[in-house]
Amino acid sequence: MKIAFAEPKLPTSGLLVFLVGAEAQLGAAAKSVDKATKGALTRALKAGNFAGKKGENLSILAPQGREKTTILLVGAGEAKDLDALRAQEIGSQIYKAVGGVSGKSAIVSVEAARGAKVRAPRLAANIAIGARLRSYRYDKYLTGAVNGGGSRGPNRLQIMVKGAADARKRYGQFAPVADGVDLARDLVSEPSNVKSPKWMAAQCRKLTKLGVKVEVLGEAQMRKLRMNALLAVGQGSVRESQLVVMRWNGGGRNAKTVSFIGKGVTFDTGGISIKPAGGMEDMIWDMGGAGTVIGAMAAIAGRKAKANVVGVVGLVENMPDGNAQRPGDIVTSMSGQTIEVINTDAEGRLVLADALWYTQKRFKPDVMIDFATLTGAIMVALGREYAGLYASDNGLAERLVSSGQTVGEKIWRMPLDNAYDKQINTPRADMKNVGPRWGGSITAAQFLQRFTNDVPWAHLDIAGVAWSDKELPLMARGASGFAVRTLDRFVCENYES
Ligand code: BES
Ligand code: MN
Ligand code: ZN
């Protein structure tokens, strides 16, 4: 979809969108059209019982005096609630509503609402952002033979606003971030017959054109580094495991390094501790953590952030096989700590154990933040709304939650405690890879912490939020690209001068 900004100039044909404030309040531009159509707008508002609440839409076809136009009224709600996030939701609402009246292109009139928290250009830019995020579709495998592709939204939105240049600039800064979100969604949506660890590594390599330095380690190199925990997960797959390192050095020599680490299990059958058949297809998105990291690297490099950021993703496929690891195996991780593998389906933590250790050892980062669709237990705790956050550092936790709030990604802090840590002790090795029945997301986090070597660390269990079965305010169903925008904000707010 193309989005353009222009100074206000009302056209006399085409699809015209106006925002309507609470209590059916029209802006000046809408009022002028109302006059030119002998009150068609006010009549329709009355007849349609339209109050201008958020989520409401009303279309008026070919009104007298403006026969060549369709007017779409979109409820914007109370002016006092109209902040940047709310504006994004309105943008998403406009995108859908325009598609609903089968408009291919539309002109959206944006005026500053009296009492709104944001001024007109920022309001317009955020409306554009919302529309852009909502316009994502994963239609790569729709040939049109059966399913005509479903209803499509507009392919062009022109936003009319006083201060169009300012709005254009603001939106321009966001575009690379949206590209990062869409990249994460594309990766997560890809089916696992295509999405092997090597395929994922090839997608990472494409970030080179944004100025990201990309290194790919294969199994031979990882064996030399003694990454036996990660390698054990992939040993049942015919597809070679990979570890990808992505570096963006926009911050200069003396800047601190931020690191992101992602679980990239390209398909999780559970291994020998095999999962039940029902819903196993969901495990195509078990590389969602890696998707977040890769998308965030694309966003950060795409907008040339003045920060030094490292992204590390562990890419493996977890399969049952004659060569697969067994329950009861003991592996020695890169850190030297030994792990008794009680359940081969608790594989994400084995991958992250080596990826975390490698990251802190090689890059001496200021912080490490890992992302993983790690446990079903986090979905039991928080449902599909909030991601679970674990952190060894209170300041880091607060900064992440706050960046999430700014962009509308919900993050809830969970506890770490020595009492949980003890629950993964075992007589046969330094630790086992599963704890007792209760608190499964917490014991998984405790396991990871043992590989952080006391570097300030945060872990986001995104199992509940990497994919959405229902439509979200800014997203179609499917892969969400969760945390790409949070990480972009986090870097911007804390690591750029
Ligand atoms: N990838 C799964 C977690 C998951 C479940 C992600 C559902 C997304 C949706 C993870 O590897 C896993 O299998 N975890 C087990 C751990 C258990 C064996 C201790 C789980 O949560 O059941
Ligand atoms: Mn698993
Ligand atoms: Zn998994």
Side-chain angles (χ1 to χ4, degrees):
M1 182 181 52
K2 269 199 73 120
I3 295 182
F5 297 87
E7 291 297 321
K9 184 168 171 282
L10 280 175
T12 49
S13 67
L15 178 52
L16 252 168
V17 182
F18 293 111
L19 303 186
V20 182
E23 282 151 47
Q25 225 170 51
L26 294 177
K31 276 183 185 153
S32 80
V33 172
D34 193 38
K35 228 171 153 187
T37 56
K38 303 197 171 66
L41 275 60
T42 37
R43 265 200 311 281
L45 287 172
K46 248 210 174 124
N49 242 336
F50 191 96
K53 278 189 258 164
K54 67 181 218 183
E56 270 185 304
N57 308 311
L58 182 66
S59 45
I60 307 161
L61 308 175
Q64 192 184 1
R66 285 282 188 281
E67 285 80 359
K68 288 182 180 149
T69 64
T70 297
I71 314 260
L72 180 62
L73 301 175
V74 170
E78 298 278 350
K80 65 170 174 36
D81 301 330
L82 191 47
D83 57 8
L85 263 183
R86 180 73 196 96
Q88 290 175 25
E89 287 177 18
I90 292 171
S92 165
Q93 185 184 338
I94 290 173
Y95 177 85
K96 279 201 304 176
V98 169
V101 295
S102 67
K104 289 266 175 285
S105 74
I107 294 176
V108 184
S109 163
V110 176
E111 297 174 68
R114 224 177 296 142
K117 288 191 178 123
V118 291
R119 310 225 345 245
R122 201 164 150 227
L123 184 61
N126 279 286
I127 286 174
I129 288 170
R132 165 75 165 79
L133 288 171
R134 185 61 184 73
S135 71
Y136 176 79
R137 290 168 58 87
Y138 187 72
D139 52 11
K140 189 174 172 186
Y141 293 103
L142 296 179
T143 64
V146 181
N147 174 346
S151 76
R152 274 168 203 278
N155 43 33
R156 190 182 149 83
L157 283 184
Q158 173 154 324
I159 301 182
M160 289 190 319
V161 61
K162 270 195 197 119
D166 183 7
R168 187 179 303 123
K169 190 174 150 217
R170 285 170 182 277
Y171 177 66
Q173 285 164 345
F174 178 77
V177 181
D179 290 343
V181 175
D182 287 353
L183 172 60
R185 290 152 136 182
D186 279 345
L187 296 175
V188 169
S189 305
E190 193 68 25
S192 298
N193 53 334
V194 175
K195 184 167 59 186
S196 64
K198 277 196 171 156
W199 182 90
M200 284 289 295
Q203 308 312 305
C204 295
R205 277 209 184 87
K206 292 184 185 164
L207 300 190
T208 317
K209 64 174 185 289
L210 296 174
V212 177
K213 292 193 187 119
V214 182
E215 283 167 63
V216 179
L217 280 63
E219 289 183 354
Q221 283 156 294
M222 286 192 272
R223 205 161 290 122
K224 267 197 199 137
L225 290 162
R226 300 173 194 271
M227 293 189 164
N228 298 319
L230 184 154
L231 288 167
V233 177
Q235 78 186 33
S237 170
V238 295
R239 292 157 158 195
E240 187 179 339
S241 301
Q242 311 270 285
L243 185 94
V244 181
V245 178
M246 294 160 278
R247 279 183 294 162
W248 169 252
N249 292 321
R253 277 185 175 277
N254 298 318
K256 292 171 174 167
T257 298
V258 192
S259 66
F260 304 144
I261 300 96
K263 167 181 173 181
V265 176
T266 59
F267 195 79
D268 180 14
T269 62
I272 295 300
S273 313
I274 198 163
K275 288 180 181 295
M280 204 203 274
E281 67 280 9
D282 284 351
M283 289 301 108
I284 68 164
W285 43 272
D286 208 21
M287 39 54 70
T292 297
V293 171
I294 298 164
M297 293 306 295
I300 287 159
R303 67 171 181 80
K304 302 203 168 13
K306 291 188 175 55
N308 294 344
V309 186
V310 177
V312 175
V313 293
L315 304 166
V316 301
E317 187 179 51
N318 189 21
M319 295 294 253
D321 178 76
N323 194 43
Q325 68 173 333
R326 294 145 291 254
D329 284 6
I330 296 177
V331 295
T332 305
S333 67
M334 184 185 181
S335 73
Q337 299 175 93
T338 55
I339 305 161
E340 183 183 15
V341 179
I342 298 295
N343 188 320
T344 66
D345 197 12
E347 84 296 341
R349 63 199 78 182
L350 298 174
V351 173
L352 287 174
D354 282 340
L356 285 165
W357 190 262
Y358 175 83
T359 303
Q360 60 80 24
K361 196 165 181 239
R362 177 166 169 198
F363 297 108
K364 310 274 178 295
D366 186 49
V367 292
M368 294 200 284
I369 309 172
D370 79 70
F371 299 85
T373 50
L374 202 62
T375 66
I378 197 64
M379 299 158 90
V380 175
L382 300 176
R384 307 294 299 266
E385 307 296 334
Y386 275 78
L389 166 68
Y390 297 85
S392 63
D393 182 285
N394 293 335
L396 174 58
E398 278 160 24
R399 290 191 286 279
L400 278 167
V401 170
S402 153
S403 298
Q405 267 166 352
T406 307
V407 303
E409 291 181 321
K410 295 181 220 169
I411 297 171
W412 192 262
R413 190 167 181 191
M414 301 283 290
L416 290 164
D417 193 298
N418 200 34
Y420 296 111
D421 179 75
K422 280 195 238 157
Q423 297 175 356
I424 53 171
N425 287 339
T426 171
R428 284 170 36 81
D430 295 338
M431 70 196 85
K432 53 185 174 180
N433 76 332
V434 292
R437 174 143 177 232
W438 308 114
S441 167
I442 309 175
T443 44
Q446 296 288 168
F447 181 98
L448 298 181
Q449 189 173 21
R450 292 189 183 201
F451 297 88
T452 59
N453 209 8
D454 293 331
V455 173
W457 155 81
H459 154 61
L460 274 106
D461 194 335
I462 57 169
V465 294
W467 188 276
S468 178
D469 293 329
K470 62 167 203 260
E471 188 178 334
L472 299 174
L474 298 177
M475 308 268 176
R477 270 195 276 170
S480 66
F482 188 91
V484 171
R485 282 177 301 147
T486 296
L487 286 185
D488 174 66
R489 284 307 303 173
F490 175 81
V491 167
C492 170
E493 284 167 356
N494 302 294
Y495 288 90
E496 289 182 73
S497 40

